[in-house]
Amino acid sequence: MKNNLTFVALCFTMLLNAQWINDTSCSKKASLITNNAIEYAMNLEYMAAFGAANSALLIDEDCGCAKLTLAAISSNNENWGSRLEKLKAINTTKLSPEEKGWYQYLTASLENRQAISKSLASKFPKGALMNYLGTSPQDFNSFKLFAEKFPSYASSAYNMMSYGFMRGDYGKEDPVNAMKYVKMSQDMHDGPNSYDSMAEHYAAKGDYENALNAALKAVDYAAFASPYMKTAQLYYAKKNKKSISDKVIEHQESMQKAIMSGDYEAYKKFEHPEIKVPTGDSNLNPFYIYTEKDVVVDTAITWEFFTLSNMETYFSPDMKTAVITFVADGKYTFIDNAKTVSYATRGSSVWNNTDDGWKILHTSYAPRKGRIGIPERTN
């Protein structure tokens, strides 16, 4: 325990003294804040980086490093991104040599950046940011080399290394070291991204309970509009897959009862105003859009019974779409001639998890081999 406390204290001390860019154009206080902004950015926590960089500019409106951070985290998409505009607004004559190097990197084309990053690392061998620009997921050893050379700035590198161990980029897949390095990242940097990474590692092992717990820690840093909420919801759904499956099947059965009784008030709970429901009946006529009139229509048959069984649920990877397969059995009688028909089909339905709950997206029925579905005309 004593050794662990000593390690954490040492890391904290190093971070207080560590600067991603050694020489900046910013005032002393603005430089410290901008250093935090870069730390957030390197750990992929861009909204925190945005806030910190803007805070630095409140203290020093000429802080070039803060302006470069805001440009770096902006989109480079030429159709809607603002990076180029932000870079053009920077007075490069006021930038420090390292800041000019970062500016050069940001304005370069993607194909030239690798060569520029190598040149900057050679020119500024003690510049952490200048060296980190040369790291890449295409070469996970680059993160290992950076961490060895700049241990005071290694939080983001450790996080990336955890993925390398998890994927087997350092040899065979190594979940133990993946967890070790993501925890090392957490020890050095107090931010949400490493918890999101930890959640991904747990999820990769199928441990959705711990994945959810880690994801919620990431969300807790800034719960409103958190970029990590989506994965937390996914892990919750994966963890509770059985109960969600039961719920969707319950919806299918309740919807079918509403249809059989012509109760549109009960049926419309499963509709969504923006979803049209293409439907295929077991008479194998063309697909059509199922609406209220199809629920309440007077038919030429009466049902003695209708049951669903062998219901199985299959989910999309994001747990937002569910497909139910089933068989249906029943018996109906023609009103005009009292003829009774045994009904036997197999069917499927598709449900979508909207902001308003699970809603029907599609249904399709077909007669089971050698059996009969609904008649050609039912009204």
Side-chain angles (χ1 to χ4, degrees):
M1 175 63 75
K2 183 177 179 181
N3 289 337
N4 288 339
L5 292 174
T6 302
F7 173 75
V8 172
L10 178 61
C11 289
F12 183 69
T13 301
M14 288 191 297
L15 284 174
L16 286 177
N17 297 318
Q19 290 290 309
W20 279 93
I21 292 183
N22 294 313
D23 178 27
T24 77
S25 61
C26 309
S27 67
K28 185 175 181 180
K29 287 185 178 179
S31 179
L32 291 173
I33 297 172
T34 304
N35 186 65
N36 285 335
I38 298 174
E39 176 75 7
Y40 286 129
M42 295 305 103
N43 280 279
L44 310 182
E45 296 157 359
Y46 297 128
M47 295 308 296
F50 177 85
N54 277 294
S55 296
L57 289 171
L58 289 176
I59 296 174
D60 179 3
E61 63 181 13
D62 293 322
C63 180
C65 205
K67 294 178 181 179
L68 286 166
T69 300
L70 291 174
I73 64 177
S74 299
S75 172
N76 198 33
N77 188 298
E78 60 182 15
N79 295 319
W80 53 268
S82 63
R83 180 182 293 176
L84 183 60
E85 178 184 348
K86 290 174 179 175
L87 289 170
K88 286 181 178 179
I90 296 175
N91 184 350
T92 58
T93 62
K94 293 185 177 182
L95 297 180
S96 72
E98 282 183 79
E99 289 173 338
K100 287 180 180 179
W102 195 11
Y103 183 93
Q104 179 188 8
Y105 178 86
L106 290 173
T107 54
S109 61
L110 292 177
E111 55 266 26
N112 290 331
R113 284 189 175 181
Q114 185 176 7
I116 290 175
S117 66
K118 288 183 178 180
S119 173
L120 292 173
S122 176
K123 186 176 181 181
F124 302 99
K126 295 183 179 180
L129 180 60
M130 299 299 100
N131 281 265
Y132 197 77
L133 294 177
T135 61
S136 170
Q138 304 302 318
D139 178 13
F140 273 85
N141 278 319
S142 63
F143 296 106
K144 184 177 181 181
L145 292 173
F146 176 86
E148 291 172 351
K149 187 175 181 180
F150 297 94
S152 301
Y153 312 85
S155 172
S156 52
Y158 288 154
N159 189 52
M160 291 302 297
M161 288 172 67
S162 76
Y163 283 95
F165 283 113
M166 201 69 188
R167 300 189 336 172
D169 288 272
Y170 295 117
K172 64 179 182 179
E173 294 179 6
D174 189 349
V176 173
N177 263 324
M179 285 299 181
K180 172 186 174 182
Y181 275 86
V182 79
K183 288 177 181 176
M184 288 168 63
S185 177
Q186 291 168 2
D187 288 339
M188 294 195 68
H189 172 72
D190 183 19
N193 188 60
S194 59
Y195 287 101
D196 179 63
S197 299
M198 177 178 279
E200 287 188 45
H201 298 339
Y202 277 123
K205 298 190 295 182
D207 184 353
Y208 294 111
E209 182 169 359
N210 277 316
L212 175 60
N213 291 336
L216 289 175
K217 289 180 180 179
V219 170
D220 190 53
Y221 275 83
F224 180 74
S226 171
Y228 308 104
M229 181 64 78
K230 184 177 180 180
T231 51
Q233 291 171 334
L234 173 62
Y235 301 143
Y236 175 85
K238 295 275 191 179
K239 175 178 177 288
N240 296 282
K241 189 173 183 179
K242 176 62 168 60
S243 62
I244 294 173
S245 175
D246 291 342
K247 187 66 175 179
V248 178
I249 288 176
E250 180 183 324
H251 283 353
Q252 177 70 37
E253 293 173 330
S254 297
M255 184 184 72
Q256 192 62 49
K257 289 178 181 177
I259 292 172
M260 300 305 294
S261 60
D263 184 354
Y264 180 69
E265 287 300 310
Y267 173 84
K268 71 179 183 181
K269 293 187 298 184
F270 309 108
E271 286 185 311
H272 189 282
E274 297 182 41
I275 296 177
K276 292 183 178 180
V277 184
T279 300
D281 289 333
S282 56
N283 57 23
L284 303 184
N285 278 344
F287 285 98
Y288 63 98
I289 302 301
Y290 198 81
T291 64
E292 177 182 358
K293 69 179 180 61
D294 299 298
V295 178
V296 301
V297 66
D298 291 328
T299 65
I301 60 176
T302 58
W303 286 90
E304 181 178 330
F305 71 91
F306 185 101
T307 60
L308 300 176
S309 61
N310 293 357
M311 303 181 79
E312 299 286 346
T313 311
Y314 304 88
F315 291 96
S316 60
D318 64 0
M319 295 294 291
K320 289 291 187 180
T321 303
V323 176
I324 304 177
T325 60
F326 52 84
V327 297
D329 293 279
K331 183 180 290 186
Y332 60 82
T333 301
F334 284 94
I335 296 174
D336 59 353
N337 60 17
K339 179 182 177 182
T340 297
V341 177
S342 293
Y343 167 94
T345 63
R346 54 123 174 109
S348 64
S349 63
V350 183
W351 293 78
N352 183 250
N353 189 12
T354 71
D355 291 337
D356 194 29
W358 287 95
K359 302 297 180 181
I360 187 64
L361 193 64
H362 171 67
T363 60
S364 181
Y365 289 80
R368 300 210 295 272
K369 189 173 182 179
R371 307 299 292 276
I372 300 172
I374 62 172
E376 183 71 16
R377 295 179 61 87
T378 60
N379 63 338

mmCIF file of all heavy atoms in Angstrom, residues 22 97-98 101 104-105 113-135 146 149-150:
data_model
loop_
_atom_site.group_PDB
_atom_site.id
_atom_site.type_symbol
_atom_site.label_atom_id
_atom_site.label_comp_id
_atom_site.label_asym_id
_atom_site.label_seq_id
_atom_site.Cartn_x
_atom_site.Cartn_y
_atom_site.Cartn_z
ATOM 1 N N ASN A 22 6.805 23.108 -23.718
ATOM 2 C CA ASN A 22 7.700 23.723 -22.736
ATOM 3 C C ASN A 22 7.709 25.241 -22.813
ATOM 4 O O ASN A 22 7.775 25.931 -21.799
ATOM 5 C CB ASN A 22 9.123 23.191 -22.933
ATOM 6 C CG ASN A 22 9.216 21.706 -22.603
ATOM 7 O OD1 ASN A 22 8.715 21.260 -21.582
ATOM 8 N ND2 ASN A 22 9.866 20.943 -23.479
ATOM 9 N N PRO A 97 8.283 28.725 -30.773
ATOM 10 C CA PRO A 97 8.740 27.745 -31.761
ATOM 11 C C PRO A 97 7.956 26.426 -31.706
ATOM 12 O O PRO A 97 7.600 25.874 -32.746
ATOM 13 C CB PRO A 97 10.212 27.539 -31.393
ATOM 14 C CG PRO A 97 10.630 28.851 -30.816
ATOM 15 C CD PRO A 97 9.434 29.324 -30.043
ATOM 16 N N GLU A 98 7.678 25.924 -30.496
ATOM 17 C CA GLU A 98 6.925 24.676 -30.396
ATOM 18 C C GLU A 98 5.489 24.861 -30.894
ATOM 19 O O GLU A 98 4.934 23.991 -31.554
ATOM 20 C CB GLU A 98 6.923 24.163 -28.950
ATOM 21 C CG GLU A 98 8.220 23.472 -28.549
ATOM 22 C CD GLU A 98 8.137 22.910 -27.133
ATOM 23 O OE1 GLU A 98 7.540 21.828 -26.957
ATOM 24 O OE2 GLU A 98 8.677 23.553 -26.212
ATOM 25 N N GLY A 101 5.423 24.735 -34.467
ATOM 26 C CA GLY A 101 5.509 23.356 -34.934
ATOM 27 C C GLY A 101 4.153 22.681 -34.926
ATOM 28 O O GLY A 101 3.797 21.966 -35.885
ATOM 29 N N GLN A 104 2.170 24.050 -37.772
ATOM 30 C CA GLN A 104 2.603 23.434 -39.030
ATOM 31 C C GLN A 104 1.963 22.059 -39.207
ATOM 32 O O GLN A 104 1.504 21.704 -40.303
ATOM 33 C CB GLN A 104 4.126 23.316 -39.049
ATOM 34 C CG GLN A 104 4.682 22.671 -40.319
ATOM 35 C CD GLN A 104 6.176 22.391 -40.230
ATOM 36 O OE1 GLN A 104 6.788 22.532 -39.166
ATOM 37 N NE2 GLN A 104 6.772 21.977 -41.344
ATOM 38 N N TYR A 105 1.933 21.292 -38.128
ATOM 39 C CA TYR A 105 1.344 19.950 -38.170
ATOM 40 C C TYR A 105 -0.142 20.019 -38.488
ATOM 41 O O TYR A 105 -0.663 19.250 -39.321
ATOM 42 C CB TYR A 105 1.575 19.258 -36.832
ATOM 43 C CG TYR A 105 0.972 17.876 -36.729
ATOM 44 C CD1 TYR A 105 1.663 16.757 -37.177
ATOM 45 C CD2 TYR A 105 -0.297 17.686 -36.176
ATOM 46 C CE1 TYR A 105 1.118 15.480 -37.084
ATOM 47 C CE2 TYR A 105 -0.856 16.417 -36.080
ATOM 48 C CZ TYR A 105 -0.157 15.321 -36.532
ATOM 49 O OH TYR A 105 -0.710 14.075 -36.442
ATOM 50 N N ARG A 113 1.709 14.510 -42.634
ATOM 51 C CA ARG A 113 1.824 14.673 -41.184
ATOM 52 C C ARG A 113 2.860 13.744 -40.554
ATOM 53 O O ARG A 113 3.537 14.125 -39.595
ATOM 54 C CB ARG A 113 0.458 14.473 -40.531
ATOM 55 C CG ARG A 113 -0.452 15.660 -40.706
ATOM 56 C CD ARG A 113 -1.702 15.541 -39.892
ATOM 57 N NE ARG A 113 -2.503 16.742 -39.982
ATOM 58 C CZ ARG A 113 -3.655 16.917 -39.348
ATOM 59 N NH1 ARG A 113 -4.125 15.933 -38.571
ATOM 60 N NH2 ARG A 113 -4.322 18.033 -39.474
ATOM 61 N N GLN A 114 2.980 12.540 -41.051
ATOM 62 C CA GLN A 114 3.941 11.614 -40.467
ATOM 63 C C GLN A 114 5.365 12.152 -40.591
ATOM 64 O O GLN A 114 6.140 12.125 -39.622
ATOM 65 C CB GLN A 114 3.845 10.235 -41.129
ATOM 66 C CG GLN A 114 4.751 9.197 -40.479
ATOM 67 C CD GLN A 114 4.572 7.820 -41.095
ATOM 68 O OE1 GLN A 114 3.876 7.643 -42.083
ATOM 69 N NE2 GLN A 114 5.209 6.830 -40.488
ATOM 70 N N ALA A 115 5.685 12.666 -41.755
ATOM 71 C CA ALA A 115 7.025 13.216 -41.959
ATOM 72 C C ALA A 115 7.244 14.449 -41.090
ATOM 73 O O ALA A 115 8.331 14.638 -40.510
ATOM 74 C CB ALA A 115 7.223 13.572 -43.433
ATOM 75 N N ILE A 116 6.207 15.280 -40.966
ATOM 76 C CA ILE A 116 6.327 16.487 -40.156
ATOM 77 C C ILE A 116 6.488 16.133 -38.683
ATOM 78 O O ILE A 116 7.293 16.737 -37.966
ATOM 79 C CB ILE A 116 5.099 17.399 -40.367
ATOM 80 C CG1 ILE A 116 5.136 17.998 -41.773
ATOM 81 C CG2 ILE A 116 5.039 18.502 -39.318
ATOM 82 C CD1 ILE A 116 3.910 18.808 -42.137
ATOM 83 N N SER A 117 5.731 15.133 -38.207
ATOM 84 C CA SER A 117 5.839 14.741 -36.798
ATOM 85 C C SER A 117 7.242 14.220 -36.480
ATOM 86 O O SER A 117 7.784 14.494 -35.402
ATOM 87 C CB SER A 117 4.785 13.690 -36.452
ATOM 88 O OG SER A 117 5.028 12.474 -37.144
ATOM 89 N N LYS A 118 7.845 13.490 -37.404
ATOM 90 C CA LYS A 118 9.220 13.011 -37.196
ATOM 91 C C LYS A 118 10.198 14.181 -37.127
ATOM 92 O O LYS A 118 11.116 14.193 -36.293
ATOM 93 C CB LYS A 118 9.625 12.058 -38.318
ATOM 94 C CG LYS A 118 8.945 10.703 -38.255
ATOM 95 C CD LYS A 118 9.451 9.792 -39.370
ATOM 96 C CE LYS A 118 8.817 8.421 -39.283
ATOM 97 N NZ LYS A 118 9.299 7.518 -40.372
ATOM 98 N N SER A 119 9.977 15.156 -37.997
ATOM 99 C CA SER A 119 10.850 16.328 -38.013
ATOM 100 C C SER A 119 10.717 17.123 -36.717
ATOM 101 O O SER A 119 11.725 17.570 -36.148
ATOM 102 C CB SER A 119 10.496 17.215 -39.210
ATOM 103 O OG SER A 119 11.212 18.430 -39.172
ATOM 104 N N LEU A 120 9.482 17.269 -36.222
ATOM 105 C CA LEU A 120 9.250 18.020 -34.993
ATOM 106 C C LEU A 120 9.836 17.299 -33.781
ATOM 107 O O LEU A 120 10.385 17.933 -32.879
ATOM 108 C CB LEU A 120 7.751 18.254 -34.802
ATOM 109 C CG LEU A 120 7.095 19.206 -35.811
ATOM 110 C CD1 LEU A 120 5.578 19.220 -35.614
ATOM 111 C CD2 LEU A 120 7.661 20.619 -35.672
ATOM 112 N N ALA A 121 9.715 15.964 -33.753
ATOM 113 C CA ALA A 121 10.288 15.192 -32.646
ATOM 114 C C ALA A 121 11.813 15.331 -32.611
ATOM 115 O O ALA A 121 12.420 15.369 -31.540
ATOM 116 C CB ALA A 121 9.893 13.727 -32.775
ATOM 117 N N SER A 122 12.416 15.405 -33.785
ATOM 118 C CA SER A 122 13.865 15.570 -33.868
ATOM 119 C C SER A 122 14.275 16.979 -33.457
ATOM 120 O O SER A 122 15.287 17.174 -32.778
ATOM 121 C CB SER A 122 14.335 15.288 -35.295
ATOM 122 O OG SER A 122 15.717 15.525 -35.441
ATOM 123 N N LYS A 123 13.466 17.963 -33.834
ATOM 124 C CA LYS A 123 13.775 19.362 -33.540
ATOM 125 C C LYS A 123 13.536 19.690 -32.074
ATOM 126 O O LYS A 123 14.245 20.514 -31.480
ATOM 127 C CB LYS A 123 12.927 20.266 -34.425
ATOM 128 C CG LYS A 123 13.260 21.740 -34.315
ATOM 129 C CD LYS A 123 12.433 22.556 -35.300
ATOM 130 C CE LYS A 123 12.781 24.039 -35.224
ATOM 131 N NZ LYS A 123 11.958 24.842 -36.178
ATOM 132 N N PHE A 124 12.511 19.049 -31.490
ATOM 133 C CA PHE A 124 12.162 19.305 -30.086
ATOM 134 C C PHE A 124 12.163 17.973 -29.327
ATOM 135 O O PHE A 124 11.110 17.450 -28.955
ATOM 136 C CB PHE A 124 10.788 19.960 -29.978
ATOM 137 C CG PHE A 124 10.651 21.253 -30.727
ATOM 138 C CD1 PHE A 124 10.044 21.283 -31.978
ATOM 139 C CD2 PHE A 124 11.143 22.431 -30.179
ATOM 140 C CE1 PHE A 124 9.915 22.479 -32.669
ATOM 141 C CE2 PHE A 124 11.014 23.636 -30.865
ATOM 142 C CZ PHE A 124 10.406 23.666 -32.122
ATOM 143 N N PRO A 125 13.323 17.402 -29.093
ATOM 144 C CA PRO A 125 13.402 16.078 -28.462
ATOM 145 C C PRO A 125 12.824 16.027 -27.053
ATOM 146 O O PRO A 125 12.424 14.964 -26.578
ATOM 147 C CB PRO A 125 14.905 15.768 -28.449
ATOM 148 C CG PRO A 125 15.560 17.112 -28.517
ATOM 149 C CD PRO A 125 14.670 17.960 -29.357
ATOM 150 N N LYS A 126 12.736 17.178 -26.368
ATOM 151 C CA LYS A 126 12.176 17.207 -25.013
ATOM 152 C C LYS A 126 10.736 17.714 -24.997
ATOM 153 O O LYS A 126 10.167 17.892 -23.926
ATOM 154 C CB LYS A 126 13.055 18.093 -24.113
ATOM 155 C CG LYS A 126 14.456 17.538 -23.903
ATOM 156 C CD LYS A 126 15.251 18.414 -22.941
ATOM 157 C CE LYS A 126 16.640 17.843 -22.713
ATOM 158 N NZ LYS A 126 17.443 18.687 -21.766
ATOM 159 N N GLY A 127 10.178 17.931 -26.156
ATOM 160 C CA GLY A 127 8.797 18.419 -26.246
ATOM 161 C C GLY A 127 7.813 17.254 -26.273
ATOM 162 O O GLY A 127 7.766 16.494 -27.244
ATOM 163 N N ALA A 128 7.046 17.107 -25.219
ATOM 164 C CA ALA A 128 6.128 15.961 -25.118
ATOM 165 C C ALA A 128 5.111 15.954 -26.248
ATOM 166 O O ALA A 128 4.895 14.925 -26.912
ATOM 167 C CB ALA A 128 5.418 15.971 -23.765
ATOM 168 N N LEU A 129 4.461 17.097 -26.490
ATOM 169 C CA LEU A 129 3.449 17.138 -27.541
ATOM 170 C C LEU A 129 4.063 16.888 -28.905
ATOM 171 O O LEU A 129 3.490 16.156 -29.725
ATOM 172 C CB LEU A 129 2.727 18.481 -27.530
ATOM 173 C CG LEU A 129 1.637 18.644 -28.597
ATOM 174 C CD1 LEU A 129 0.544 17.589 -28.440
ATOM 175 C CD2 LEU A 129 1.040 20.044 -28.562
ATOM 176 N N MET A 130 5.221 17.479 -29.146
ATOM 177 C CA MET A 130 5.878 17.300 -30.440
ATOM 178 C C MET A 130 6.180 15.824 -30.699
ATOM 179 O O MET A 130 6.104 15.356 -31.839
ATOM 180 C CB MET A 130 7.183 18.099 -30.506
ATOM 181 C CG MET A 130 7.016 19.610 -30.357
ATOM 182 S SD MET A 130 5.995 20.389 -31.647
ATOM 183 C CE MET A 130 4.421 20.570 -30.793
ATOM 184 N N ASN A 131 6.484 15.083 -29.657
ATOM 185 C CA ASN A 131 6.759 13.656 -29.799
ATOM 186 C C ASN A 131 5.472 12.831 -29.855
ATOM 187 O O ASN A 131 5.408 11.813 -30.537
ATOM 188 C CB ASN A 131 7.642 13.169 -28.643
ATOM 189 C CG ASN A 131 9.100 13.528 -28.834
ATOM 190 O OD1 ASN A 131 9.893 12.736 -29.326
ATOM 191 N ND2 ASN A 131 9.466 14.760 -28.470
ATOM 192 N N TYR A 132 4.437 13.276 -29.134
ATOM 193 C CA TYR A 132 3.184 12.523 -29.131
ATOM 194 C C TYR A 132 2.489 12.586 -30.490
ATOM 195 O O TYR A 132 1.740 11.681 -30.859
ATOM 196 C CB TYR A 132 2.236 13.055 -28.048
ATOM 197 C CG TYR A 132 1.119 12.084 -27.725
ATOM 198 C CD1 TYR A 132 1.363 10.971 -26.929
ATOM 199 C CD2 TYR A 132 -0.165 12.271 -28.230
ATOM 200 C CE1 TYR A 132 0.350 10.063 -26.631
ATOM 201 C CE2 TYR A 132 -1.180 11.380 -27.934
ATOM 202 C CZ TYR A 132 -0.920 10.282 -27.137
ATOM 203 O OH TYR A 132 -1.928 9.378 -26.860
ATOM 204 N N LEU A 133 2.752 13.647 -31.248
ATOM 205 C CA LEU A 133 2.147 13.768 -32.576
ATOM 206 C C LEU A 133 2.543 12.606 -33.479
ATOM 207 O O LEU A 133 1.847 12.303 -34.446
ATOM 208 C CB LEU A 133 2.560 15.096 -33.219
ATOM 209 C CG LEU A 133 2.051 16.377 -32.538
ATOM 210 C CD1 LEU A 133 2.608 17.605 -33.245
ATOM 211 C CD2 LEU A 133 0.519 16.412 -32.524
ATOM 212 N N GLY A 134 3.650 11.955 -33.167
ATOM 213 C CA GLY A 134 4.117 10.837 -33.994
ATOM 214 C C GLY A 134 3.541 9.491 -33.602
ATOM 215 O O GLY A 134 3.835 8.479 -34.251
ATOM 216 N N THR A 135 2.740 9.432 -32.531
ATOM 217 C CA THR A 135 2.131 8.160 -32.156
ATOM 218 C C THR A 135 0.932 7.862 -33.055
ATOM 219 O O THR A 135 0.315 8.771 -33.600
ATOM 220 C CB THR A 135 1.666 8.175 -30.688
ATOM 221 O OG1 THR A 135 0.672 9.207 -30.516
ATOM 222 C CG2 THR A 135 2.834 8.418 -29.759
ATOM 223 N N PHE A 146 6.745 6.244 -26.499
ATOM 224 C CA PHE A 146 6.460 7.563 -25.941
ATOM 225 C C PHE A 146 6.392 7.499 -24.409
ATOM 226 O O PHE A 146 6.948 8.360 -23.722
ATOM 227 C CB PHE A 146 5.151 8.113 -26.495
ATOM 228 C CG PHE A 146 4.754 9.427 -25.884
ATOM 229 C CD1 PHE A 146 5.225 10.616 -26.398
ATOM 230 C CD2 PHE A 146 3.925 9.476 -24.766
ATOM 231 C CE1 PHE A 146 4.893 11.840 -25.815
ATOM 232 C CE2 PHE A 146 3.577 10.684 -24.177
ATOM 233 C CZ PHE A 146 4.063 11.871 -24.703
ATOM 234 N N LYS A 149 9.739 7.352 -22.850
ATOM 235 C CA LYS A 149 10.509 8.580 -22.977
ATOM 236 C C LYS A 149 9.908 9.724 -22.165
ATOM 237 O O LYS A 149 10.626 10.569 -21.626
ATOM 238 C CB LYS A 149 10.596 8.981 -24.456
ATOM 239 C CG LYS A 149 11.530 10.156 -24.721
ATOM 240 C CD LYS A 149 11.666 10.419 -26.219
ATOM 241 C CE LYS A 149 12.621 11.577 -26.490
ATOM 242 N NZ LYS A 149 12.757 11.852 -27.939
ATOM 243 N N PHE A 150 8.578 9.729 -22.055
ATOM 244 C CA PHE A 150 7.881 10.811 -21.352
ATOM 245 C C PHE A 150 6.903 10.230 -20.329
ATOM 246 O O PHE A 150 5.674 10.333 -20.480
ATOM 247 C CB PHE A 150 7.122 11.698 -22.349
ATOM 248 C CG PHE A 150 8.001 12.405 -23.338
ATOM 249 C CD1 PHE A 150 8.243 11.837 -24.575
ATOM 250 C CD2 PHE A 150 8.575 13.631 -23.026
ATOM 251 C CE1 PHE A 150 9.054 12.500 -25.502
ATOM 252 C CE2 PHE A 150 9.379 14.292 -23.937
ATOM 253 C CZ PHE A 150 9.629 13.717 -25.176
#
